[in-house]
Amino acid sequence: MWDDAFPSFLIGLREGLEAGLIVSVLVATLVRAGARSRLPQVWTGVLAAIALSMSFGAVLTFTAASLSTTAQEAFGGTLSIVAVAFVTAMVFWMRRSARSLAGEIKEKVTEALAMGAGVLVLTSFLAVGREGLETALFLWTTARAANESAGPLAGAGIGLVLAAALCWGLYRRVLRINLTRFFTATGVVLIVIAAGVLGYGLRDLQEGTVLPGGTAYVFDLSGSVDAGAWYSTLLQGVLNLTPAMTWLQVAGYVGYLAVVMTLFVRGVRGQSAAGQGVSAGAGGAAAGGKPAAATPAAPSITPPAVPPIATSAVPPSAVERSVVSSSAVERSVASPSAAERPVAPPPATEPPSTPATAHTRRRPAWLIPVAVVAVPALLAGLVVALAHPKPAAGETVAVSETDCGQGFTPPEPGRQDFLMHNTGNQTSEVYLIDPSSNAVYGEIEGLAPGTTRDLVATVAGGTYAWRCVPADGRAVTSKAVRVGGAAGARAVVPVSERDLAAPLKAYRAYVDQGLATLVTQTRKLSDDIRAGRLGAARTDWLTAHRTYASLGAAYGTFEDFDQKIDGRPDGLPGGVHDKDFTGFLRIEYGLWHGEPASGLKGVAQQLADNSAGLRKAFPHQDFDASDLPLRAHEILENTLQFELTGDTDQGSGTGLATADANLAGTRELLVVLRPLLTTRAPRLLPTVDADITRLQKLLGSAHHGSGWTPVDRLDRTAKARLDGATGQLLEDLSPVPDLLEVRKSA
């Protein structure tokens, strides 16, 4: 989360400081002009700018969510490049304009005071609105790149709060900041971050099929770089550098960085040289010499002359001095108090107040602030509503056991929300399919008679039909309809129990062989304990326990044997001393807590008997084929929850050895499922294989001879890398259950 927060923190701090300085100059100018009554107009404009910026962010978020996957990539990539353009322009503009910003704002305020309230509201709105829109766009882009919003929003919030505090300090004359140096330093960092955003945007456009070269990689280090390591998350979160990058990404990143950074640094050096020339010329004149003819005129460090309406003796604020010139900020902020100067008459633009008459109706003070917030919000809601695709022809699709898909007409491409109403007498499963391949685009399970439920699916160019499978009856398929346009919607080719028959048979053979080995190993463990060879028993215990852990996909089939063989003491009244605490973990507790062999003989014999009983019962136990895809994810979920936290450790410190065995079981399961996954997700298996190799390497580094590093003795970095690699593998395995779910649509 915090790796993704830094870019947003920087943009929040910088944009917030820019907007805050502008508002501070507006306020200071009005206060000096004796026009405090006009301050609400400034805050109204600021409020309108904030409302517009938040509404703009909402439009980006919700309109993008309504697009197809390919369109989302293209949309996000385009806005990423637009955000880079805005940020680049902002960096150069602030470097060039910081020295004269206060004078420009004061001139606009002077004009606004002469022309009325509306112009003053508009002045503050335009001054702050640009910064707000840039911030909203950049935040949306960084949140999309991070695939989460908590980090970017938290970073931006912290940056904005810090910017507000700095502006308050400048306004109250308790802070002095060299703004030229600040905007130069943050400009350099933002250019580097913008280069990463550009690279990410180009990749989005490639995935959205707008730009070519999506598979032409300069490098692909995903198999050797730990995606969960701190340096990986930092580089990706801050700089958008990923383990695999295409030629276009690298060219855009390097080209942008080389050109923009060169121009920026050259401009900074030019300003510094000009400043030094001015100082030298001034020094020469003071000494009686003549400055060179080519010496540029010195930039003014004095605030612009205050017009007649602003002749109050209140000293100029620190904000104005800071924005007008960075050198002025470095001088003392001390200035004569207002009491030491004559008080100027009130400004001519403030008309004397007139008593209210019976015919004068004043507008409520809350009306305009409410309006400036409500209008952008309503407009944003209208844009989102118009941009969101409507359900196909706005019709409900009726399904039953005899007629499926009544009222189904060719839908428009995009994200569609179908209202499925069961008009029959049986509960049915409903699928939106491609009739040529039986691939499934969306489904509803258990649609009861007389009920209506939503089915949301993304529609692109292709052929579509409805298939209804009643609880007691044959499947019924609707008439197919054709949707024009380019293909792009993702569908899943359904898997039947027949498809899983061969993988299930192969896996059952693997488990049966493993149980035969387990029986032999547990007998040897029991013999060692009976003979008092506790040292050998510890070694044999780990060997047998790893064998059992490698059979993880069959846990749901082992029925009551699993609790007897590998049950935890959690929930037992007596804990580790409870009579029902048996099996591997009970023996582990005794072996590593100094319990004599006489106290473990009965438990060890019971474990050997239960292992033999399981092997005898397994061929006759029901092994649901649909469990295989689920176990691909669940084995490692348990590993992350129990073994990698040390929760199951009863003293041996071998949690990583058990995790290694669980990984071996997951790998074996993927071997039997590979033929089905290859045809349905060809890009998934290479990624998963790389994840497994990475995790195996990390676990192997904790294996030293016959010993394993206990989980609680891992240093923080090693533990974080291990958790990160396991989490990444779990994430990449998460589509497997959906890809191989047994459906009745085939």
Side-chain angles (χ1 to χ4, degrees), residues 73-142:
E73 300 293 347
F75 181 69
T78 301
L79 288 186
S80 295
I81 294 176
V82 172
V84 170
F86 280 168
V87 169
T88 306
M90 175 264 293
V91 167
F92 281 91
W93 176 81
M94 199 59 193
R95 188 206 68 196
R96 183 175 59 252
S97 305
R99 299 172 66 87
S100 59
L101 183 62
E104 295 176 3
I105 296 299
K106 290 174 68 175
E107 291 178 5
K108 293 180 180 179
V109 173
T110 301
E111 296 172 0
L113 283 172
M115 298 179 67
V119 178
L120 187 56
V121 171
L122 183 63
T123 300
S124 58
F125 170 76
L126 294 176
V128 179
R130 193 195 70 164
E131 317 297 339
L133 292 176
E134 289 178 355
T135 303
L137 179 57
F138 196 85
L139 280 180
W140 183 86
T141 303
T142 53

Side-chain angles (χ1 to χ4, degrees), residues 399-404 406 423-425 428 468 470 474 476-477:
V399 300
S400 70
E401 61 271 20
T402 58
D403 196 358
C404 187
Q406 291 181 348
T423 59
N425 299 317
S428 296
C468 306
R474 301 182 60 181
V476 181
T477 305

Side-chain angles (χ1 to χ4, degrees), residues 230-520:
W230 65 268
Y231 54 84
S232 297
T233 54
L234 184 64
L235 288 175
Q236 187 163 342
V238 176
L239 303 179
N240 273 306
L241 293 176
T242 58
M245 296 184 71
T246 64
W247 283 99
L248 182 60
Q249 280 183 279
V250 173
Y253 187 96
V254 174
Y256 173 89
L257 202 58
V259 173
V260 176
M261 189 67 78
T262 300
L263 293 175
F264 185 79
V265 172
R266 184 180 298 171
V268 171
R269 289 178 177 175
Q271 285 186 345
S272 300
Q276 292 174 0
V278 169
S279 299
K290 296 182 180 181
T295 303
S300 172
I301 62 172
T302 305
V306 179
I309 63 168
T311 55
S312 172
V314 178
S317 72
V319 173
E320 292 175 284
R321 295 199 304 275
S322 300
V323 178
V324 172
S325 171
S326 61
S327 60
V329 177
E330 296 170 352
R331 299 196 305 268
S332 171
V333 296
S335 59
S337 64
E340 297 172 354
R341 300 186 179 187
V343 178
T349 56
E350 287 291 316
S353 59
T354 56
T357 65
H359 301 288
T360 303
R361 298 185 61 182
R362 301 195 58 175
R363 190 169 46 232
W366 52 265
L367 182 60
I368 294 181
V370 170
V372 299
V373 173
V375 170
L378 290 175
L379 290 176
L382 183 62
V383 170
V384 171
L386 292 176
H388 191 78
K390 299 178 181 178
E395 297 175 346
T396 298
V397 180
V399 300
S400 70
E401 61 271 20
T402 58
D403 196 358
C404 187
Q406 291 181 348
F408 182 47
T409 58
E412 295 293 328
R415 186 173 180 270
Q416 300 293 331
D417 187 359
F418 300 98
L419 297 177
M420 311 306 300
H421 179 62
N422 189 344
T423 59
N425 299 317
Q426 294 187 36
T427 299
S428 296
E429 295 185 6
V430 183
Y431 301 93
L432 179 63
I433 66 169
D434 178 352
S436 63
S437 63
N438 290 320
V440 177
Y441 293 97
E443 64 183 288
I444 293 179
E445 297 182 355
L447 183 62
T451 60
T452 301
R453 285 165 59 186
D454 288 347
L455 187 152
V456 179
T458 299
V459 176
T463 306
Y464 297 84
W466 293 103
R467 180 163 293 167
C468 306
V469 185
D472 298 314
R474 301 182 60 181
V476 181
T477 305
S478 73
K479 181 181 178 181
V481 300
R482 178 73 186 175
V483 176
R490 297 178 180 178
V492 178
V493 178
V495 173
S496 66
E497 292 187 2
R498 180 182 302 175
D499 294 325
L500 286 171
L504 179 58
K505 182 179 179 180
Y507 194 78
R508 288 184 72 102
Y510 163 78
V511 173
D512 189 65
Q513 183 179 355
L515 289 176
T517 303
L518 179 68
V519 170
T520 302

Side-chain angles (χ1 to χ4, degrees), residues 1 15 148 170 191 212 236 252 254 296 342 387 419 427 429 437 473 498 548 551 660 691 719 726 731 735:
M1 168 181 170
E15 296 277 14
E148 58 104 6
L170 289 170
I191 289 172
Q236 187 163 342
V254 174
L419 297 177
T427 299
E429 295 185 6
S437 63
R498 180 182 302 175
Y548 186 78
L551 309 178
D660 182 72
D691 292 342
K719 181 64 166 60
T726 307
E731 181 178 344

